[in-house]
Amino acid sequence: MAKQFENNMEECFSTSKGVFYLKSLSLEDNGSVSQVIKKRIEAINDENQESEEGDAFFVADIGVIKRQHKKWKTVLPRIEPFYAVKSNPEPLVLKTLANLGTGFDCASKDEIQRILDLSVDPSRIVFAQTTKQISFLRHAQKHKVKLMTFDNEDELYKIKHKYPGAELLLRIQTDKIKGSVNFGMKFGASLDSTKPLLQLAKALGLNIIGVSYHAGCLIAEPRAYRDALEHARSVFDEAKELGYDMNLVDVGGGFPATMEAGITFEVIASRLSQAVDDMFPKDVRVIAEPGRFYSTNAFTLCTQIISRRVVSTEGDSDPTFMYYINDGIFGSFRTLDFGYIHPVLKVLRKNQEIQDDWSGEKVYTSSIWGPTCSPDDFVAKETKLPKLESGDWIIWEKMGSYTSPASSEFNGIPKPKVYFTET
Ligand SMILES: Cc1ncc(COP(=O)(O)O)c(C=O)c1O
């Protein structure tokens, strides 16, 4: 990634992962996402192409990240965003957010280090993993990352032993809230276990400063956000009786980038803001861990049809088409089955513009397959598409979160490179 900006470097930063250039979006990579895509594809189609070109690639628009942040600050002014690094840890995304002043939700030693490498103060990090490897906890202690979540007794003993000065958030379960991705089965103390946990923490002399939760993703019921906060409030009250004076609520992630499950971010934000103000006085600090909200719409994945099979069935007048592309379920689409990503498909045929509407054309039953040897490597089993050729491109929007970081290089298929622009 760094190499493509080398000619026009204005500011660079180096991390343990390499050297990256921030403001150095060279003119050739400036322009709309569509322009950058077309330029890359022209380069790939060029007969003088370098041998490594021809792989799938991302085009990322840093302007989207900046606009999402502006939106957050406008509609949720009281809630401080701590970006969930796991959703997309691209150095330029992290650096942009660090410059905008967000905090960061880190889940591991590596994620903590990526943020510290950007000279972010450790007080802007929440170690939001309730079950922490001891070496990760030591790393947090060494670098003064104090704020962290927990939800069980073992974790309390571990923290007492390794990092007694930590500032703890008791993560509570929200599994009554039904979304497409629910966390309650794995994370969060049930409401009948919070009191014994608080008592144990008190006995161990640990400092619990607040409550955290993650309401889940794609929640269709806006009331759910208020319900989760009510649970947090009840734990605040319980803690007060035990002598804790909590002052921080972490409302987690799960905020949609635009509209999901029929609800817009703005509707969720206004319900949540109201609930926060109703339940917590102004001196209680409120943070959140948005991931998808920032990253989803910023990244577009470009895949090429590397092969095609036309299947004719006796009795059917039209053939069906099997398209094989150069990224798949073991790569950037790894979390498709978990409901983490909801890409929007467009096509780019030779000598044409990027198209998202083929309603005026004949369409065929089509399937889209990834490049590995696995028969499970399909991205779309049955969809209607116009007739495409090998060499055409399938463009996937909304691919900025839980794609590249969750992907593998199974079968030797490389992870797509990222080309940045800013609109
Ligand atoms: C603890 C925690 N916080 C925040 C997030 C970010 O969620 P989202 O990207 O839906 O905002 C996750 C996602 O898995 C998480 O586990």
Side-chain angles (χ1 to χ4, degrees):
M1 183 198 86
K3 197 163 171 263
Q4 77 225 29
F5 298 142
E6 253 163 20
N7 297 339
N8 188 18
M9 185 177 66
E10 288 170 31
E11 181 189 329
C12 86
F13 62 100
S14 78
T15 76
S16 47
K17 301 283 164 198
V19 178
F20 300 94
Y21 303 110
L22 179 58
K23 289 190 202 148
S24 51
L25 302 175
S26 70
L27 280 180
E28 68 164 1
D29 284 319
N30 257 333
S32 70
V33 169
S34 308
Q35 284 167 335
V36 177
I37 290 173
K38 290 192 80 176
K39 199 164 178 8
R40 298 308 318 162
I41 288 176
E42 274 162 27
I44 289 168
N45 290 341
D46 185 340
E47 282 180 13
N48 297 322
Q49 63 179 274
E50 290 172 32
S51 58
E52 77 266 21
E53 290 193 337
D55 298 329
F57 63 91
F58 283 105
V59 174
D61 183 354
I62 284 297
V64 171
I65 307 270
K66 292 184 178 174
R67 288 191 287 278
Q68 287 297 88
H69 184 63
K70 201 167 167 197
K71 192 192 275 188
W72 183 284
K73 298 300 280 179
T74 308
V75 299
L76 283 172
R78 185 173 165 191
I79 303 184
E80 298 168 46
F82 278 52
Y83 173 68
V85 174
K86 60 184 84 71
S87 82
N88 187 325
E90 265 299 321
L92 196 57
V93 170
L94 300 181
K95 180 70 180 171
T96 302
L97 288 167
N99 284 353
L100 290 170
T102 70
F104 293 91
D105 150 13
C106 298
S108 63
K109 177 179 169 179
D110 180 83
E111 287 189 357
I112 289 173
Q113 194 54 48
R114 281 171 191 250
I115 301 308
L116 295 174
D117 281 346
L118 297 171
S119 305
V120 170
D121 193 273
S123 64
R124 282 167 60 190
I125 295 176
V126 55
F127 189 178
Q129 169 55 281
T130 53
T131 51
K132 292 170 276 301
Q133 189 173 312
I134 285 178
S135 59
F136 293 4
L137 195 53
R138 275 211 204 94
H139 192 73
Q141 186 196 31
K142 186 171 163 203
H143 295 282
K144 300 188 172 51
V145 175
K146 280 188 159 183
L147 190 60
M148 60 186 67
T149 61
F150 79 99
D151 64 5
N152 66 65
E153 287 187 5
D154 280 27
E155 206 66 14
L156 282 179
Y157 286 114
K158 195 197 297 174
I159 293 167
K160 167 73 183 168
H161 219 127
K162 304 291 173 199
Y163 196 177
E167 294 178 342
L168 306 181
L169 300 173
L170 171 50
R171 180 162 169 181
I172 55 170
Q173 219 173 41
T174 51
D175 63 349
K176 295 217 169 48
I177 299 165
K178 295 287 172 246
S180 85
V181 182
N182 295 310
F183 293 87
M185 212 169 79
K186 186 172 176 189
F187 298 111
S190 60
L191 286 185
D192 55 8
S193 70
T194 52
K195 193 167 183 181
L197 281 172
L198 290 165
Q199 283 166 330
L200 175 62
K202 197 82 196 159
L204 294 173
L206 294 173
N207 187 16
I208 303 189
I209 65 160
V211 174
S212 84
Y213 62 83
H214 190 306
C217 307
L218 280 116
I219 296 167
E221 178 43 68
R223 164 89 212 173
Y225 294 90
R226 192 173 189 98
D227 291 348
L229 209 61
E230 271 168 6
H231 293 331
R233 179 68 250 179
S234 69
V235 177
F236 258 62
D237 297 337
E238 198 170 53
K240 194 158 187 75
E241 284 168 21
L242 296 172
Y244 279 114
D245 194 14
M246 290 182 167
N247 58 20
L248 199 158
V249 193
D250 175 353
V251 299
F255 299 90
T258 42
M259 158 104 77
E260 270 175 15
I263 316 183
T264 60
F265 169 70
E266 284 78 1
V267 167
I268 292 168
S270 80
R271 304 281 174 105
L272 186 62
S273 274
Q274 190 60 55
V276 165
D277 288 342
D278 291 348
M279 287 180 230
F280 293 95
K282 284 275 181 264
D283 58 349
V284 172
R285 186 179 177 205
V286 187
I287 68 171
E289 300 163 3
R292 291 174 307 125
F293 172 77
Y294 279 98
S295 49
T296 300
N297 292 342
F299 282 59
T300 300
L301 176 68
C302 304
T303 58
Q304 190 170 28
I305 299 175
I306 52 175
S307 197
R308 181 183 79 163
R309 195 192 312 188
V310 185
V311 183
S312 302
T313 312
E314 223 182 286
D316 285 346
S317 54
D318 287 329
T320 62
F321 290 88
M322 295 171 71
Y323 298 111
Y324 301 84
I325 59 173
N326 50 359
D327 200 350
I329 206 78
F330 295 95
S332 306
F333 295 89
R334 179 79 188 89
T335 61
L336 191 65
D337 283 351
F338 309 143
Y340 280 38
I341 57 172
H342 303 272
V344 173
L345 183 159
K346 298 186 173 183
V347 300
L348 177 57
R349 285 176 277 189
K350 206 166 184 188
N351 303 322
Q352 291 195 24
E353 294 302 315
I354 296 174
Q355 245 185 299
D356 60 358
D357 177 16
W358 31 88
S359 50
E361 282 186 61
K362 185 169 170 61
V363 291
Y364 299 84
T365 302
S366 309
S367 51
I368 305 174
W369 301 79
T372 71
C373 60
S374 168
D376 294 320
D377 190 2
F378 58 85
V379 178
K381 252 286 158 71
E382 191 175 311
T383 185
K384 295 284 184 198
L385 288 175
K387 191 190 286 185
L388 304 174
E389 313 275 342
S390 287
D392 288 344
W393 289 77
I394 300 185
I395 315 285
W396 309 84
E397 291 182 341
K398 298 181 180 285
M399 285 291 281
S401 36
Y402 308 110
T403 51
S404 199
S407 68
S408 74
E409 296 191 348
F410 183 45
N411 276 227
I413 308 300
K415 293 192 184 206
K417 279 189 198 163
V418 186
Y419 296 90
F420 282 96
T421 186
E422 180 168 352
T423 63

